[in-house]
Amino acid sequence: ETTELDLRENFFRVATSRGVYYSRIIVVASGTKPKKPDVPETAEEVKDRIFYEVYPLLNVKRLKLVIAGAGDAAFDYALNLGKNNEVVILNRSGTTKCLPLLRERVMLAPSISYREDTKILRITSISPTDMLLECSCPGGISKLAAHYLIFAVGSQRRDRSRAVAEHAVADALYDGVPDCRGTCQARDTQERIEAIHHVRRADPHDR
């Protein structure tokens, strides 16, 4: 358990229940929870085949999977699952938020198809192992059968423990960097961290 965090001469000092550690970089990895969008008309029979993370499906093969999302997670999931399955990515808008390299690889993958401006309206069951997605798209209403659906639409806001940890990092930086107070006034934690990082990079004595 971390009990204390501060910055001393360009090193973070982290006091824990097991000892004291020093590092130039602190990574806050307290976890997030995936968002779970609400599809108003979802049959009870298919709910156990809807996922919000990829790891439960990493070993499935020769199935048809639908991924709803347009960011890094959605495209990365598709590339991994597309090695052994047929994958369809549904983007409710016309803009992707993923890295260009991920998009490029997805577009070149023969087992992955991508559909823009497609929103899931209803999910019904057509067999014990298959679901049917009714979607709105530029051409009207389309229907898509699949074995599994994965929502990859982002994460929920960080919980209190993560916020506290980030505040501790920001406070440690804030107190340890000269001429940073004017830069960081009236900013939230993440902005303060970014602003402090900018000031540190600009400091010739830190090179």
Side-chain angles (χ1 to χ4, degrees), residues 21-190:
Y21 304 89
Y22 294 86
S23 175
R24 287 187 179 274
I25 298 173
I26 293 293
V27 178
V28 179
S30 57
T32 58
K33 295 181 180 180
K35 290 181 179 178
K36 297 183 178 182
D38 180 36
V39 178
E41 298 185 49
T42 301
E44 193 67 31
E45 300 89 336
V46 304
K47 289 184 177 180
D48 62 346
R49 298 201 297 279
I50 299 175
F51 293 87
Y52 304 92
E53 295 180 289
V54 71
Y55 68 87
L57 299 175
L58 288 177
N59 294 321
V60 302
K61 296 181 179 180
R62 295 183 293 277
L63 297 179
K64 185 168 185 177
L65 312 175
V66 173
I67 300 174
D72 290 337
F75 279 70
D76 185 60
Y77 291 175
L79 289 170
N80 281 283
L81 295 171
K83 296 173 183 177
N84 297 301
N85 303 278
E86 180 185 353
V87 178
V88 180
I89 300 176
L90 302 182
N91 180 0
R92 61 184 298 166
S93 73
T95 304
T96 56
K97 301 176 183 178
C98 64
L99 293 170
L101 179 61
L102 288 175
R103 180 186 170 95
E104 179 182 341
R105 289 179 176 176
V106 161
M107 296 307 174
L108 293 175
S111 62
I112 304 173
S113 59
Y114 169 71
R115 302 184 185 184
E116 292 184 339
D117 297 309
T118 303
K119 180 181 178 181
I120 300 173
L121 302 175
R122 180 182 298 117
I123 307 173
T124 57
S125 175
I126 53 177
S127 79
T129 60
D130 297 283
M131 64 176 71
L132 186 68
L133 310 180
E134 186 173 326
C135 308
S136 64
C137 59
I141 299 295
S142 66
K143 294 183 179 181
L144 181 64
H147 293 98
Y148 293 104
L149 168 64
I150 305 174
F151 281 105
V153 292
S155 300
Q156 293 177 353
R157 295 180 62 183
R158 59 187 183 274
D159 58 23
R160 186 175 182 277
S161 63
R162 181 180 173 93
V164 169
E166 286 193 352
H167 274 287
V169 174
D171 288 340
L173 286 167
Y174 185 85
D175 293 333
V177 180
D179 302 324
C180 195
R181 293 185 180 277
T183 305
C184 301
Q185 291 294 333
R187 294 175 179 265
D188 65 20
T189 304
Q190 185 61 34

